Amino acid sequence: MLFFEKKREMLNYKVVPYVGNISVKQSSHDAAMAIESIINDYSRHSWSFVSIDRLETAVNDPGCFGINAQKTTSYIQLIIFSRTE
């Protein structure tokens, strides 16, 4: 009996930042269409859509000479893709 070992394929990931800006005259449909366009564009380049996630980051503003130093929280939307190499 012959046993064949399946070659392990390595997954590569691409993380694309996304800001969903729409005007007051646009709808959630317009935001969804923008995301769909990005996903379709990457899929034409052999990337497979994985998920959309939100990344929370702390932004440090040192102020002037440390006076009024502030720390704020920023959120970034990320579209994640993968493909085998």
Side-chain angles (χ1 to χ4, degrees):
M1 183 186 313
L2 295 174
F3 292 95
F4 294 98
E5 184 176 314
K6 184 178 178 182
K7 182 181 174 185
R8 292 191 77 192
E9 296 176 345
M10 182 164 179
L11 279 178
N12 286 326
Y13 292 92
K14 180 174 285 292
V15 179
V16 179
Y18 172 75
V19 177
N21 289 329
I22 59 173
S23 71
V24 294
K25 294 181 180 181
Q26 293 176 303
S27 68
S28 58
H29 180 294
D30 296 307
M33 293 303 295
I35 293 171
E36 183 178 309
S37 176
I38 293 169
I39 292 170
N40 286 335
D41 184 48
Y42 278 88
S43 71
R44 281 189 283 277
H45 293 51
S46 301
W47 290 99
S48 296
F49 172 74
V50 174
S51 68
I52 296 178
D53 288 312
R54 183 175 76 166
L55 175 67
E56 179 179 330
T57 57
V59 180
N60 296 315
D61 182 357
C64 185
F65 302 109
I67 301 170
N68 295 325
Q70 296 180 6
K71 187 176 196 177
T72 59
T73 302
S74 176
Y75 297 95
I76 302 167
Q77 298 295 117
L78 303 170
I79 305 174
I80 302 169
F81 299 91
S82 71
R83 72 177 176 192
T84 56
E85 290 292 325

